[in-house]
Amino acid sequence: MAALAADRTLESHPTGRNQYEILSTDICYAGGLVGLTAAGFLIPWDNTNTTVFVGVALEQAAGTGASPAGTATKCPVNDEGMIIKHIPIASAVQGSVGLEVYSETDNVLTDCELDAGVTSRSVGIIIRFASAADCDIQLYSHAEWSARYIQATT
C-alpha cells in the first residue's frame, strides 16, 4: 500500500439514509425499527442475538422472493440515530432521562420499555420526559449500535 501522492475524489452520499435488501419473506413498515440478519438482509427489528440494529424504515417495502444479490426489493432506512418523539414508556419517570430504551419488536409505539432483561439489547436512550405517555428517544445510529454490541461480543 502506498500513501496518496495527489488529490483524489471519492464518491459518497449524505449520511443518515441507506437502502438495504429485504429478506424475501418479510415486510418492513414505514416508521418501524429494522435490523440486518447475519446474511445482511433487512428485517423488522426482533431483538435477537443475530440481528444487528440499523434504524427506522422510511417506506413500506416487501420482500419479493428474489434471492440473488441486487435483485431483491430495497427499503430506504434512516440509520443516523434519529430522534423519535412522543413515545409511551410505561415505567418512565423524570429520572429516566438518559436511561437506555429497549424494544422487542419493530413497533416503538407499543413495545418500548426501560428494562427488557439481560438478553435484550437497547436501541437508544430517553432524551426528554414529559410523562410516561410522552417521551422522546434518541435512537442509536447503525454505527453506534454496532460498535456497542458487536465489539462487546468479540
Side-chain angles (χ1 to χ4, degrees), residues 48-52 118-119 121 145-154:
T48 62
N49 287 333
T50 58
T51 304
V52 173
V118 295
T119 60
R121 297 164 300 160
W145 191 93
S146 295
R148 178 182 182 91
Y149 287 103
I150 293 174
Q151 182 178 359
T153 60
T154 57

Side-chain angles (χ1 to χ4, degrees), residues 8-9 13 24 34 36 45 50 52 55 67 73 80 92 97 103 109 113-114 128 131 133 146 148:
R8 178 178 179 187
T9 301
H13 66 82
S24 64
V34 290
L36 294 174
W45 177 246
T50 58
V52 173
S67 57
T73 302
E80 70 181 338
V97 173
S103 185
L109 292 177
E113 55 191 343
L114 290 177
R128 185 190 66 83
S131 71
S146 295
R148 178 182 182 91

